Amino acid sequence: MIRVLLVDDQAVVRAGFRVLLEEHDDVEVVGEASTGPDAVRLARHVRPDVVLMDVRMPGGDGLTATREIVAAAETVEDWRPAVLVVTTFDLDDYLFGALEAGAGGFVLKDCEPEELIDAVRRLAAGEGLLHSTVTRRVIAEFGRRRGAPVPSPEADLLTDRERDIVRLLAQGMSNAEIADSLVVETTTVKSHLSRAMTKLGARDRVQVVVWAHRNGLGS
């Protein structure tokens, strides 16, 4: 069962998401919050698997709430919530901050119901959401805004194969596409990617992509 926390300042939006999500037997909405601070407090209490986070809320923005929820989870054993940012904006400065804060993916509020449930399931499985158009655009713009890449010490920990896989992942490729490009099995890609994530201290695939853009492996 995937436990979901809904965070949005509009009650009608939360109600709509609840109806869509609870049509599926593997999803349970465990709470709702209308402000960032309330979301943080409730997340600590109910410990959701996925948080659907609004970006702009009068009572506290989603960027700060995302950062605080991710930080809070670091102190709790066996709780690693994924934050799915839900926004009406294709590109928004808040989204770049949310990436840095630890958001695992993005969807638009007018997305199809199937896209929303797929995103929730992907994040609950620890995959991160890298396949939608908005996420690819956000990540590309994030890398551009950071200016010249500054290699970090972790870059030296990666093998050549791991670097190749990280680079292709940052270009928006799926595991299957990476496997085809490198002429290897998909299981091999998953294995190398898992080791790379451990070395980089990345929570999910999105965080690997962010790291790649910072270190010049995003193009």
Side-chain angles (χ1 to χ4, degrees):
M1 184 68 71
I2 303 172
R3 295 162 52 81
V4 178
L5 172 62
L6 304 177
V7 184
D8 196 289
D9 61 313
Q10 298 182 45
V12 67
V13 173
R14 298 196 307 272
F17 282 150
R18 178 182 283 273
V19 170
L20 290 175
L21 292 172
E22 292 194 335
E23 288 182 348
H24 301 272
D25 294 337
D26 61 335
V27 179
E28 176 187 10
V29 176
V30 294
E32 299 182 18
S34 60
T35 70
D38 284 346
V40 176
R41 286 191 291 269
L42 189 55
R44 287 171 173 160
H45 178 65
V46 302
R47 297 185 184 179
D49 301 308
V50 178
V51 180
L52 264 63
M53 182 70 72
D54 191 14
V55 176
R56 294 178 175 177
M57 294 174 286
D61 67 82
L63 185 157
T64 301
T66 295
R67 181 181 297 110
E68 293 183 2
I69 289 172
V70 170
E74 293 294 335
T75 66
V76 179
E77 187 176 357
D78 297 327
W79 180 43
R80 291 297 178 266
V83 178
L84 177 63
V85 174
V86 185
T87 177
T88 57
F89 303 94
D90 278 1
L91 290 175
D92 186 289
D93 285 342
Y94 274 98
L95 298 184
F96 304 106
L99 263 180
E100 291 185 301
F106 304 90
V107 293
L108 297 178
K109 284 188 177 179
D110 62 354
C111 69
E112 294 295 324
E114 293 78 10
E115 182 179 356
L116 178 65
I117 189 63
D118 179 65
V120 168
R121 286 170 173 158
R122 284 179 182 275
L123 265 67
E127 296 181 11
L129 188 65
L130 293 175
H131 300 294
S132 68
T133 300
V134 64
T135 304
R136 292 185 183 186
R137 289 175 58 194
V138 167
I139 290 172
E141 183 67 8
F142 174 87
R144 187 187 69 79
R145 291 191 179 197
R146 289 300 161 191
V150 180
S152 63
E154 290 85 359
D156 295 332
L157 300 177
L158 300 181
T159 65
D160 290 341
R161 179 61 83 189
E162 289 166 355
R163 289 173 67 89
D164 288 340
I165 290 173
V166 168
R167 176 176 52 80
L168 295 175
L169 179 68
Q171 293 174 12
M173 289 190 182
S174 65
N175 286 349
E177 291 169 335
I178 294 173
D180 288 342
S181 177
L182 299 178
V183 195
V184 297
E185 297 293 330
T186 302
T187 53
T188 300
V189 172
K190 291 180 179 179
S191 178
H192 283 297
L193 181 56
S194 177
R195 286 196 289 269
M197 289 173 63
T198 299
K199 292 177 181 179
L200 300 177
R203 290 180 297 275
D204 54 38
R205 295 162 65 93
V206 171
Q207 294 301 304
V208 174
V209 171
V210 171
W211 181 91
H213 280 289
R214 285 175 174 165
N215 288 269
L217 294 179
S219 60

